[in-house]
Amino acid sequence: MNPILTGSLIGGYLLILLFVSWITGRKADNATFFLGNRQSPWFIVAIGMVGASLSGVTFVSVPGWVATQQFNYLQMVTGFVAGYIFIANILLPLYYRLNLTSIYTYLNNRFGTHSYKSGSILFIISKLTGASARLYLMAGVLQLAISDPLNIPFYQTVMVTIGLIWLYTFKGGIKTIIWTDALQTLLMLSAVGITIYYIGSELGLGFREMVYTISKSEYSTILNTDWASSRHFLKQFFSGAFITIVMTGLDQDMMQKNLSCKNIRDAKKNMYWYGIAFLPVNLLFLSLGALLYIYINEAGIPLPDRADDLYPMLAMGGYLPMAAGLFFILGLVAAAYSSADSALASLTTVFSLDILKIDAMQPKKAKTYRVLVHFGFTIITALIILIFRALNQDSIINLVYVLAGYTYGPLLGLYAFGLFTKYRIKDKLVVFAAILPPVITGIIDFNAEKWFGFSLGYEKLILNGFLTFVILWLIRIVETGKTNA
């Protein structure tokens, strides 16, 4: 692939993002940055949230899963839909009723300052490491495709990549992001569709023939009934539901966009349609994976060492027409940017409101602090990416996601205890509920095969949340009767 041509296309795409930023960022203030003045069209939010959920990791990894997991992932996706229904009917009405900007303010209302700060800090740690990991993967691909042939060092690739996100989000924030994310979602899905078209052409298959070939292939199995497997249907379904509740419903990044809708009715419509769209979108990615493996077997192409390298290898390695490679790069950039831009905005929101309390400051001072916080998280993200590079181990990324996943367990327990009991807690002791459950869950996970005869999968999140709930029960204040929420 020609690095000049690839870089020019990406540059043109980024100019479009900057133009959208200029249009949406005029006369922007903190209310614009945090919630888009609560004027976001629900259908634009829904489209953008699909892209924000499907990060660069999903874009590269899901097609590669097909060889070992077939279409088992759809079991979890059906659980996602159940989770979205819960969010739309339980969490969103709560957030709108309390008129929240940071959703962790609920913990302050319900339990107290220590719970409030704990929830915010858990989110910051998880989101910062997760966003850095996603951008690290994208920066690595850009380094190979563009920077290495032009002798541009990795740190410059990172600075340009993260700097452009800062540039198009620092003024308009969420008001800009809902539009850029919608654009990036459409580009990402177009990239997948174009790749499927080219593979079908290489295999001599039309649309109906592709559907038939995939359905009859060894990769199309959806249902897993082996209880010892971490991919058993019930484990996947309930894990999917709880993952959605915590990683969407208890995640400031995703909820901030929902809260930018005009009213609760629009927010619910957004959540329903976004949830429904997740099934066909993930089916599209899995179908791409099946076709990639069918094509590589037909063509006699050696499999890459890592499943994650399958899509990049075929798209950029000269096996498919150049257009497929170019759209792969654009789709990867769109996928990574659509999750990273809102991550920076949500980190800025939580730190500014929950930690610095800028809502109690004069407007001019509050805006200055918000801009500085946004810039600070941009620099921190860049530094974490460079640390990943210095360690030079891709397995670090998997470890980061595992550790980040543990931080959502205490959030699940805190919100469940707040919503489904009327007890207050000894707020100063909540730190034990934030730290002990992930540690205990990690110990159980490490020994699960030896103790129980089967491995733990995503259900670790449920266990983590349950342990948090138990600890909160132990530190409850029995005398109290009513809550503030």
Side-chain angles (χ1 to χ4, degrees), residues 19-45:
F19 176 72
V20 174
S21 172
W22 177 73
I23 293 292
T24 56
R26 290 179 294 182
K27 298 181 180 179
D29 55 14
N30 280 351
T32 306
F33 184 93
F34 294 142
L35 291 179
N37 303 109
R38 295 191 188 271
Q39 294 296 314
S40 301
W42 68 267
F43 51 92
I44 297 296
V45 176

Side-chain angles (χ1 to χ4, degrees), residues 138-425:
M138 185 199 73
V141 174
L142 292 181
Q143 184 70 24
L144 290 172
I146 301 173
S147 300
D148 281 347
L150 299 176
N151 296 315
I152 298 172
F154 182 73
Y155 79 89
Q156 291 184 11
T157 304
V158 172
M159 292 304 175
V160 171
T161 299
I162 195 73
L164 285 167
I165 295 177
W166 175 83
L167 193 60
Y168 78 78
T169 59
F170 85 98
K171 288 186 71 176
I174 288 296
K175 186 177 180 180
T176 296
I177 287 167
I178 61 157
W179 291 97
T180 56
D181 278 6
L183 174 64
Q184 289 171 151
T185 299
L186 296 175
L187 179 58
M188 176 179 58
L189 296 180
S190 297
V192 175
I194 287 169
T195 305
I196 289 175
Y197 168 78
Y198 279 121
I199 292 176
S201 298
E202 293 289 324
L203 293 171
L205 301 174
F207 177 75
R208 289 184 179 179
E209 290 81 7
M210 279 194 287
V211 172
Y212 180 80
T213 300
I214 292 170
S215 66
K216 294 300 180 181
S217 73
E218 61 185 291
Y219 307 113
S220 62
T221 302
I222 296 175
L223 199 63
N224 185 313
T225 56
D226 179 9
W227 179 253
S229 170
S230 62
R231 298 195 300 273
H232 184 274
F233 170 73
L234 289 177
K235 295 180 183 179
Q236 292 270 291
F237 178 83
F238 285 107
S239 294
F242 279 95
I243 284 171
T244 297
I245 290 168
V246 297
M247 297 190 74
T248 299
L250 305 183
D251 183 278
Q252 175 67 26
D253 183 357
M254 300 302 287
M255 284 295 96
Q256 195 161 345
K257 297 166 189 170
N258 279 272
L259 294 175
S260 73
C261 292
K262 297 176 182 179
N263 50 54
I264 182 62
R265 182 181 175 187
D266 279 3
K268 282 188 172 184
K269 284 192 291 187
N270 159 55
M271 186 56 62
Y272 289 140
W273 282 102
Y274 159 60
I276 291 170
F278 234 62
L279 276 168
V281 166
N282 279 281
L283 180 60
L284 184 70
F285 274 93
L286 292 169
S287 298
L288 170 63
L291 286 171
L292 290 174
Y293 279 106
I294 292 169
Y295 171 70
I296 209 170
N297 291 331
E298 289 278 336
I301 300 169
L303 283 168
D305 293 333
R306 299 189 319 148
D308 285 2
D309 294 334
L310 176 65
Y311 189 9
M313 181 190 78
L314 292 178
M316 301 193 305
Y319 297 102
L320 296 174
M322 186 173 66
L326 293 174
F327 271 95
F328 168 79
I329 292 290
L330 288 174
L332 180 63
V333 171
Y337 269 30
S338 64
S339 59
D341 55 14
S342 57
L344 283 176
S346 62
L347 285 165
T348 301
T349 301
V350 168
F351 194 86
S352 297
L353 295 179
D354 298 347
I355 307 300
L356 297 181
K357 296 290 185 183
I358 68 168
D359 50 335
M361 300 177 185
Q362 293 295 323
K364 187 175 181 180
K365 183 180 180 181
K367 184 175 182 179
T368 301
Y369 272 71
R370 187 261 296 168
V371 171
L372 290 174
V373 169
H374 190 239
F375 182 75
F377 275 119
T378 303
I379 297 299
I380 293 170
T381 301
L383 291 175
I384 294 174
I385 294 171
L386 294 175
I387 290 171
F388 288 160
R389 181 73 167 191
L391 294 173
N392 197 30
Q393 291 194 17
D394 286 343
S395 59
I396 274 285
I397 303 304
N398 292 327
L399 178 61
V400 165
Y401 283 128
V402 170
L403 293 175
Y406 279 114
T407 63
Y408 283 102
L411 282 173
L412 175 62
L414 277 165
Y415 275 83
F417 196 86
L419 289 169
F420 301 118
T421 78
K422 292 185 178 296
Y423 291 110
R424 300 193 73 83
I425 60 173

